[in-house]
Amino acid sequence: MPDDSPRLTRVTTSHWGAFEVETTGDRITGVRPFAHDPAPTAIPQAIPAAVHHRNRVARPSIRRGWLDGKGGKGRGSDDFVELPWDEALDIAATDIARIKRDHGNGAIFGGSYGWSSAGRFHHAQSQVHRFLNSIGGYVASFGSYSTGCAQSIMPHVFGVNFLALLYEHQDSWQTIHDHTETLVMFGGINPKNAQVSMGGITEHDTGPWFDRFAAKGMMRLNIGPQRTDAPTGCDWLPLRPASDTALMLALAYVLEAEGLTDHAFLSRYTVGFDRFRPYLMGEVDGQPKDPDWAAPLCGTDPETIRALARRMAATRTLITVAWSLQRGEHGEQPFWMSAVLAAMLGQIGLPGGGVGYGYGAIGGVGKSVMGLRGMTFSQLTNPVTDTIPVARIADMLRRPGAPYDFNGQRRTYPDIRLVYWAGGNPYHHHQDLNALHEAWQTPETIIVNEPWWTATAKRADIVFPATTPYEREDIGRTSMDDYLFHMPALIPPVGEARDDYAIFAGLAERLGAGETFTEGKTADQWIPELYAEYRALADEQGIDVPDLDTLRDQNWVRLPITTDGPNRTLFAPFREDPEAHPLPTPSGKIEIFSDTIDSFGYDDCPGHPAWLPPAEWMGRATPETPLHMVSPQPGDKLHSQLEAALADVPGQRPVALAIHPKDAAARGIEDGTLVRVFNTRGAARARAHVTDAILPGVVALPTGAWYGDPGGNIDPDGNPNVLTPDVGTSRLGQGCSAHTALVQVAPLEG
Ligand SMILES: Nc1nc2c(c(=O)[nH]1)N[C@H]1C(S)=C(S)[C@@H](COP(=O)(O)OP(=O)(O)OC[C@H]3O[C@@H](n4cnc5c(=O)[nH]c(N)nc54)[C@H](O)[C@@H]3O)O[C@H]1N2
Ligand SMILES: Nc1nc2c(c(=O)[nH]1)N[C@H]1C(S)=C(S)[C@@H](COP(=O)(O)OP(=O)(O)OC[C@H]3O[C@@H](n4cnc5c(=O)[nH]c(N)nc54)[C@H](O)[C@@H]3O)O[C@H]1N2
Ligand SMILES: [Mo]
């Protein structure tokens, strides 16, 4: 029967950018690219199926064992009882009140890490934090899985906040285009990852910029385990994962040994080279960090290293470092060492020279737009001051009261009784998931707001069904992009889903904090008010933003805030005049040796960058686990989002594992063979993708699959985090070590 419901096409935005959505009555029936995006992504294709998927949480649900007073046991295996909203909110509020009364707000963990969805008001993180603050606070988390380690180490080196450095100061694509002759990319620059940005990237331009770099004849060298980490046409220096610091040291050695170091730069703009040099030249440990030393560690040859060092010194060179390098044990070292190497080249502060971090990691890096914040919803203030480094969650749950080190501080893990998660999927993002599953049994109560029955929702006690951005009105805007969107409510809420705001308003009211949380307003009242504030702020900066009714009418506008031009160069003012524009480090200069870090006395992060091999890498391969597994971000999606629909696509699950033809042949594996990837921590199914674009001895299993049933002994869809170790990068950074894992691969029997 033909559907005669009205068809409408409107634009919305997401972390992967803008797209057109077609609705027919109450259903999303199609998606199409946004006309102004030069390189649209295919990620939205999964949205119609995902939004109406049978895996949506339909109604508030409470785990039967928890209702029966059996506590944490049974998380992940119990079934759920569906309840009416009022009843479920009453039960949740009563329990939150009990835990507050008996243990205080310091027993509530609301770190609740995760990307959730774009949209300024219905930002799940802001909502859950505001709610928990309105009822007296919570234990928060520091940093991100993305760059937690860099956020700790880099302020010691350059003084500035790492995220501000990335988004506001680094050389723009235009500057690189105009000046860089040699682009040395550790971990590549991958347009696959640049599909995504926090809050959205509208014009996907990373690929097009590389076309322009190629046309200019810029040397573009990808250094790492996978050729596909950089656009086609780039040169590739295959490198063993985790050996970057050894390569950087050897490059530095050649500069120093051949008189190519810029000592005038070092003395004017840096401190501590004199304390680093003896280590580099081998005066401390008898081992010069020369190319002959590094070559076997890196899996390359010494002559290549020498030639590269000479070229880097002879041309305008920009060293770029992917974030993946610091998501590994001792991830502090390649980040710090890249800064030291760039300093020795003396090009920091020159356009298109020096160092930069995370180009291509997300779409906004390299885009030059005027600093204009997005619309913000206050999270209020948190009376609880205790925080944990974000990736230490399982340790925290496992070891309440235990001491740990973090960036010079001795701290104690809190005793957490209640976990509230909104907008993230720890059973996707955390390492060593089988161990997390053990730790996850300890809190008394776990509450999750989620649109889908993710692995995390299935392991909660109380699950509140949340709307997706297509079911509510919002504003889309991020400070790294030059578009502004009205995100219309395209369809009514699916099932009985409610906005996070409405869920938290219902709880806050029951807990006597309704007025604090809502200030007497509904979401429909907040959005115009916050938008008006944002518009006034823009106006102060001389930027004309339409009023809300006009924006609703137009759906989107392009803001006149791009500042592309040969203008943005990292640390240009500091180079110009280091006395007038000192860096906010203790010395006012770039710290090659840091007295602060040295004073911490950490052997896993000493006073200057050093070669500290991780516990698991190719240099420590064993007969049982001979392969290094990297687990990059998935190209067809954002993390574990839309997985409900993607897992249904025939032939797409389990996830594809990139493996070199030599390693495949040695194991009787062919392209498409179902394999078991395993180590002592766990096992995952995968589908072999045999390719010579990966270094022999390395396999790549992207993230994104939901975690399966821990009762079975193999993760069915291929979640790499059943294999990764849950260790901090070091006592300094305590970031996650996702890319540090040795595994074995075998054809799957049966
Ligand atoms: N092995 C390995 N592991 C990794 C990484 C790696 O490189 N290797 N990378 C790490 C990194 S950098 C990151 S950032 C993390 C990402 O990990 P996460 O950010 O946890 O992953 P997402 O899948 O984006 O989780 C977002 C969740 O929010 C839900 N959601 C969406 N919109 C809403 C909403 O409006 N309200 C509510 N309540 N929920 C919503 C989605 O359905 C989804 O379940 O993974 C980390 N894990
Ligand atoms: N399509 C898509 N894009 C995304 C995301 C997504 O989920 N989907 N997630 C976004 C998020 S939250 C983040 S944080 C960024 C992450 O951005 P990145 O951290 O830059 O990305 P990854 O995909 O983890 O890793 C990039 C490559 O680094 C290489 N690599 C791993 N270890 C090493 C090493 O030790 N040395 C060298 N030289 N190379 C190594 C791997 O081959 C891998 O493919 O991506 C963002 N972009
Ligand atoms: Mo991330």
Side-chain angles (χ1 to χ4, degrees):
M1 220 176 67
D3 188 345
D4 55 5
S5 313
R7 264 171 206 264
L8 277 172
T9 299
R10 284 158 290 176
V11 170
T12 193
T13 193
S14 63
H15 295 307
W16 45 86
F19 54 99
E20 286 182 6
V21 185
E22 182 202 76
T23 53
T24 310
D26 287 355
R27 293 186 73 85
I28 295 180
T29 43
V31 292
R32 278 185 294 272
F34 181 55
H36 301 266
D37 185 349
T41 118
I43 297 175
Q45 297 302 328
I47 287 172
V51 167
H52 301 287
H53 201 273
R54 60 181 184 285
N55 249 332
R56 284 293 298 266
V57 181
R59 276 170 288 280
S61 301
I62 304 195
R63 189 169 61 81
R64 195 181 298 277
W66 185 87
L67 264 184
D68 293 348
K70 291 187 187 140
K73 290 274 168 288
R75 287 187 183 124
S77 50
D78 277 359
D79 59 352
F80 283 82
V81 182
E82 292 187 336
L83 290 173
W85 269 105
D86 275 340
E87 214 175 309
L89 288 168
D90 286 346
I91 292 172
T94 304
D95 206 56
I96 295 171
R98 176 187 67 82
I99 288 170
K100 268 172 58 73
R101 186 193 59 230
D102 292 352
H103 305 284
N105 283 67
I108 302 176
F109 182 69
S112 187
Y113 181 76
W115 270 54
S116 67
S117 293
R120 295 303 309 168
F121 177 73
H122 294 288
H123 178 240
Q125 288 283 305
S126 310
Q127 295 288 348
V128 66
H129 295 158
R130 181 180 170 99
F131 162 66
L132 292 173
N133 286 335
S134 78
I135 63 159
Y138 65 100
V139 174
S141 55
F142 169 83
S144 62
Y145 279 71
S146 318
T147 59
C149 162
Q151 284 173 262
S152 296
I153 182 80
M154 295 316 284
H156 290 292
V157 181
F158 288 131
V160 283
N161 174 292
F162 181 67
L163 299 180
L165 179 144
L166 284 180
Y167 303 139
E168 291 162 29
H169 302 298
Q170 284 190 168
D171 292 29
S172 64
W173 288 126
Q174 185 71 52
T175 307
I176 297 171
H177 170 270
D178 293 349
H179 299 277
T180 305
E181 294 166 301
T182 305
L183 184 63
V184 178
M185 307 174 276
F186 287 91
I189 289 183
N190 198 329
K192 175 264 285 178
N193 284 9
Q195 291 177 96
V196 162
S197 193
M198 279 97 71
I201 180 81
T202 308
E203 295 180 13
H204 291 91
D205 58 359
T206 308
W209 274 114
F210 269 78
D211 295 341
R212 295 182 63 189
F213 298 166
K216 270 202 67 183
M218 183 194 301
M219 181 187 178
R220 295 136 14 251
L221 178 64
N222 166 25
I223 302 180
Q226 296 198 82
R227 187 170 64 216
T228 48
D229 285 331
T232 333
C234 293
D235 297 313
W236 181 33
L237 173 57
L239 187 88
R240 291 166 143 199
S243 71
D244 305 78
T245 307
L247 179 63
M248 292 174 191
L249 283 165
L251 292 166
Y253 180 94
V254 176
L255 298 181
E256 188 58 11
E258 299 190 5
L260 300 172
T261 308
D262 187 338
H263 284 283
F265 182 91
L266 291 181
S267 64
R268 182 139 193 233
Y269 300 101
T270 74
V271 289
F273 185 71
D274 55 325
R275 302 195 59 186
F276 168 70
R277 191 182 182 284
Y279 169 78
L280 180 68
M281 305 315 282
E283 291 154 21
V284 176
D285 53 4
Q287 176 58 68
K289 309 302 174 298
D290 60 15
D292 293 318
W293 163 80
L297 298 172
C298 302
T300 182
D301 70 285
E303 232 10 83
T304 305
I305 302 176
R306 284 187 195 101
L308 178 60
R310 290 168 196 146
R311 178 172 170 112
M312 289 169 80
T315 56
R316 183 62 57 85
T317 295
L318 182 67
I319 299 166
T320 67
V321 191
W323 293 345
S324 55
L325 273 75
Q326 49 87 63
R327 285 207 302 290
E329 209 185 338
H330 305 145
E332 292 82 5
Q333 304 309 314
F335 265 54
W336 194 355
M337 187 56 213
S338 63
V340 172
L341 178 59
M344 291 173 70
L345 288 165
Q347 298 187 24
I348 293 176
L350 294 179
V355 66
Y357 301 91
Y359 287 100
I362 56 167
V365 178
K367 238 188 160 53
S368 190
V369 292
M370 257 175 73
L372 169 63
R373 276 189 325 149
M375 182 178 114
T376 44
F377 186 40
S378 166
Q379 300 184 7
L380 309 176
T381 46
N382 188 352
V384 176
T385 52
D386 202 2
T387 64
I388 59 157
V390 68
R392 297 276 50 84
I393 164 131
D395 268 356
M396 171 189 79
L397 295 178
R398 232 179 336 252
R399 304 193 296 132
Y404 69 100
D405 290 303
F406 176 46
N407 205 359
Q409 297 167 22
R410 188 85 175 149
R411 294 186 174 189
T412 306
Y413 284 123
D415 185 358
I416 295 300
R417 306 300 175 112
L418 171 77
V419 171
Y420 205 129
W421 222 287
N425 188 359
Y427 275 92
H428 155 262
H429 68 233
H430 194 62
Q431 286 56 61
D432 200 353
L433 289 178
N434 295 323
L436 173 68
H437 191 69
E438 296 294 308
W440 197 252
Q441 308 301 317
T442 56
E444 290 167 33
T445 302
I446 297 177
I447 311 179
V448 168
N449 295 2
E450 191 31 84
W452 287 276
W453 280 109
T454 61
T456 302
K458 285 185 189 161
R459 286 161 181 80
D461 304 318
I462 303 175
V463 183
F464 290 119
T467 52
T468 69
Y470 321 108
E471 298 152 46
R472 59 199 184 207
E473 183 188 31
D474 211 337
I475 301 295
R477 164 87 192 113
T478 135
S479 57
M480 285 179 282
D481 195 45
D482 54 344
Y483 282 74
L484 169 69
F485 294 90
H486 176 247
M487 301 167 68
L490 298 160
I491 53 168
V494 171
E496 290 182 19
R498 289 188 183 174
D499 304 338
D500 291 292
Y501 180 74
I503 298 169
F504 291 127
L507 289 173
E509 206 177 289
R510 285 167 173 79
L511 288 158
E515 181 58 31
T516 313
F517 181 76
T518 65
E519 298 177 31
K521 289 176 230 162
T522 63
D524 288 349
Q525 291 166 317
W526 271 115
I527 290 171
E529 184 172 316
L530 297 175
Y531 185 80
E533 279 172 23
Y534 161 70
R535 191 167 170 241
L537 218 81
D539 190 56
E540 277 171 32
Q541 289 180 250
I543 299 155
D544 195 23
V545 169
D547 64 42
L548 186 54
D549 284 334
T550 312
L551 184 68
R552 278 185 177 126
D553 251 23
Q554 294 183 351
N555 208 167
W556 59 270
V557 287
R558 187 163 178 214
L559 300 172
I561 56 172
T562 39
T563 55
D564 265 349
N567 52 349
R568 229 177 56 180
T569 299
L570 182 64
F571 298 137
F574 167 64
R575 185 178 183 111
E576 191 79 13
D577 187 345
E579 282 75 39
H581 305 285
L583 296 181
T585 52
S587 61
K589 299 179 176 188
I590 299 167
E591 304 230 333
I592 293 175
F593 188 97
S594 161
D595 284 322
T596 310
I597 295 179
D598 187 51
S599 74
F600 299 160
Y602 296 156
D603 51 1
D604 54 1
C605 191
H608 61 71
W611 165 243
L612 303 172
E616 296 182 37
W617 75 295
M618 285 166 76
R620 286 180 175 157
T622 67
E624 292 75 33
T625 50
L627 303 168
H628 190 135
M629 180 189 76
V630 291
S631 46
Q633 311 290 18
D636 58 343
K637 63 203 293 244
L638 174 65
H639 311 143
S640 70
Q641 302 199 22
L642 310 176
E643 174 66 7
L646 286 160
D648 288 344
V649 179
Q652 291 304 299
R653 293 292 173 274
V655 167
L657 172 90
I659 183 167
H660 190 273
K662 273 193 207 160
D663 295 321
R667 292 166 174 76
I669 292 167
E670 287 170 23
D671 199 57
T673 303
L674 282 184
V675 297
R676 193 162 84 95
V677 191
F678 59 101
N679 59 22
T680 54
R681 288 178 288 269
R685 273 177 11 131
R687 195 164 33 91
H689 167 52
V690 179
T691 170
D692 65 4
I694 193 162
L695 182 71
V698 183
V699 292
L701 184 63
T703 63
W706 283 352
Y707 175 66
D709 174 12
N713 53 14
I714 186 160
D715 187 69
D717 286 347
N719 187 320
N721 280 325
V722 298
L723 301 155
T724 51
D726 181 15
V727 292
T729 51
S730 79
R731 284 181 283 171
L732 187 122
Q734 293 287 15
C736 77
S737 295
H739 284 294
T740 303
L742 287 172
V743 299
Q744 178 58 293
V745 178
L748 193 67
E749 282 145 35

